[in-house]
Amino acid sequence: CGSICFEYDPEVHSHLFVCIYDDNRDKKDDVPMAQKLISVEDSLSNAAEGVSYVLNDGGRLCVHAIESEETTSNMYFHLRALDVRNVDPGRLGLSRTDPFLEIAKKYNYPALGKSRIVPSYRSEIIKNHLNPYWEKASVNLEVFCDGDLDLPLVITLYDYESSGYHEVVGSVETTANFLIENVSTGGNGDRRNAMDFLSDGNHNSKGRLVVMEAFVKDVESER
């Protein structure tokens, strides 16, 4: 799941009531599956480990909470990839990767030797393409990077699978500031500032990420 932002007063003991539904696309109403009352304070004080709540159906709800600053600014960006590795050639070798991107915030906890990934954006899927060009996007800066332009971000390139088990092609670790500072100056085929998508334990490029546009702007100034 991705992240949500809500107002929080540290002077007031707060709870969130979480309801989980089954997305019933063929009918009007979604089907309720489970619900849980969670403590905001407990979640914040256990940010590194997270808090696991047992649900009434026997499942578990894992909560990871951190404090962030509310902002009216958005991160605007336009991304494309070049030279994407074809991980889905098909039986006859005629198919191509169906790429999409997911951007996630990365929280590092050196004392525990662990990190946590929280998705903040997912692109549309481009079918059968090794040089995809995704649509321009904007995300509230608090959602995108907690308002911290130097917060580590992981951009993962996936091959879409209808089963939902999408294949990882490669990923790149960066920051919002790095994206802003490395916008392509030579057009959408310019590889000079491109970042390589890599997979675990393999330093061979699985494709290149090109930043066509990246900037921060206060949405209130547009009104």
Side-chain angles (χ1 to χ4, degrees):
C1 297
S3 58
I4 59 170
C5 299
F6 57 90
E7 293 185 0
Y8 163 69
D9 184 350
E11 302 298 323
V12 179
H13 189 63
S14 304
H15 290 83
L16 290 178
F17 188 66
V18 179
C19 297
I20 301 174
Y21 292 87
D22 178 30
D23 184 6
N24 197 350
R25 299 178 182 179
D26 298 327
K27 297 182 179 180
K28 183 178 180 180
D29 297 323
D30 295 331
V31 179
M33 297 174 59
Q35 57 189 30
K36 193 68 179 181
L37 187 68
I38 65 174
S39 166
V40 175
E41 286 78 9
D42 287 349
S43 300
L44 285 171
S45 62
N46 292 280
E49 294 287 356
V51 180
S52 179
Y53 294 90
V54 178
L55 301 175
N56 53 343
D57 67 345
R60 285 185 175 272
L61 173 67
C62 296
V63 180
H64 169 241
I66 63 164
E67 291 183 296
S68 61
E69 273 193 44
E70 184 179 9
T71 175
T72 58
S73 294
N74 278 5
M75 177 73 179
Y76 294 82
F77 54 95
H78 191 193
L79 306 174
R80 78 162 306 179
L82 295 171
D83 313 320
V84 173
R85 181 183 179 184
N86 188 14
V87 297
D88 189 17
R91 292 183 179 180
L92 300 178
L94 301 178
S95 297
R96 297 289 182 269
T97 300
D98 301 323
F100 71 91
L101 292 177
E102 183 176 87
I103 301 177
K105 296 175 282 191
K106 183 178 182 180
Y107 302 98
N108 294 310
Y109 302 101
L112 297 176
K114 65 188 299 184
S115 60
R116 187 180 297 276
I117 299 294
V118 179
S120 60
Y121 169 79
R122 179 177 284 191
S123 75
E124 74 277 14
I125 301 156
I126 307 294
K127 302 290 286 186
N128 291 308
H129 215 302
L130 302 181
N131 295 286
Y133 198 95
W134 290 283
E135 295 179 2
K136 293 183 179 182
S138 66
V139 180
N140 177 267
L141 200 63
E142 184 181 6
V143 174
F144 189 77
C145 61
D146 295 343
D148 178 2
L149 297 179
D150 292 313
L151 181 76
L153 302 174
V154 177
I155 303 179
T156 304
L157 177 64
Y158 288 94
D159 174 38
Y160 173 81
E161 299 292 344
S162 58
S163 65
Y165 294 98
H166 311 304
E167 182 175 353
V168 175
V169 180
S171 62
V172 58
E173 187 166 331
T174 185
T175 65
N177 260 334
F178 193 85
L179 295 177
I180 293 169
E181 294 168 358
N182 285 273
V183 172
S184 171
T185 58
N188 61 35
D190 184 15
R191 292 169 170 78
R192 286 174 295 179
N193 289 341
M195 293 169 275
D196 287 318
F197 286 108
L198 304 174
S199 60
D200 291 338
N202 192 323
H203 297 291
N204 296 323
S205 176
K206 302 302 186 296
R208 296 180 176 179
L209 177 67
V210 178
V211 184
M212 302 300 303
E213 183 177 80
F215 62 91
V216 173
K217 186 174 183 180
D218 189 342
V219 294
E220 293 293 333
S221 66
E222 299 178 346
R223 297 180 181 177

